[in-house]
Amino acid sequence: MGRPKTDLFKINGKPMLAPDNGVGFSYEDLDASDSGRDESGIMHRIVVRYKVGKWSFEFGSISEADRQYMESLFADNAEFEFTHPDRNNAGTAVTSRCYRSKYDLSWYNAKKGMWQNYKFNIVEC
């Protein structure tokens, strides 16, 4: 029996596996390259986009089969549709265009096909 799936988070419509711990959410405004302080120290901010989302996932241990399932969701796509709770109303799902640029994991037990510390971030495009 593998790890349970959750409909709270989906990649291209397919449910992700439920992570061990809470999912980290962060939002960041993107400023234009010509934003900054002038010679008198006054900040002139030109916002290109507000509240670009980033979600951090962690799995303490994961089987080879579950690792393969998760990696199949990303399938070496540069971008994908990510369904997640809305930042203003967690009871409502929204879908964003996102990417995953990196992931980390350690091979814990090769004989049993177990991995640990599987971590990745999903970032809004």
Side-chain angles (χ1 to χ4, degrees), residues 1-112:
M1 177 103 186
R3 183 181 286 268
K5 295 176 182 165
T6 178
D7 284 330
L8 289 175
F9 302 101
K10 295 179 183 178
I11 305 292
N12 291 327
K14 295 181 182 174
M16 289 178 52
L17 298 177
D20 291 334
N21 300 313
V23 177
F25 294 66
S26 64
Y27 299 93
E28 180 179 1
D29 295 345
L30 298 179
D31 294 340
S33 59
D34 52 348
S35 293
R37 298 194 181 276
D38 63 19
E39 44 294 322
S40 64
I42 306 242
M43 180 67 176
H44 299 275
R45 187 169 182 230
I46 303 165
V47 179
V48 177
R49 269 185 71 200
Y50 290 98
K51 296 175 183 57
V52 175
K54 178 174 145 183
W55 299 264
S56 301
F57 292 87
E58 293 186 24
F59 300 81
S61 65
I62 190 167
S63 70
E64 173 62 14
D66 284 345
R67 185 196 68 79
Q68 287 181 13
Y69 174 77
M70 286 298 294
E71 289 304 303
S72 75
L73 296 179
F74 299 109
D76 293 332
N77 292 321
E79 297 176 2
F80 50 84
E81 297 294 321
F82 178 56
T83 303
H84 54 88
D86 182 60
R87 68 181 169 84
N88 294 315
N89 180 358
T92 303
V94 295
T95 301
S96 304
R97 194 83 183 142
C98 294
Y99 67 94
R100 180 188 75 160
S101 62
K102 166 187 171 174
Y103 69 96
D104 297 302
L105 74 157
S106 302
W107 206 352
Y108 174 68
N109 187 324
K111 193 174 196 179
K112 292 183 181 179

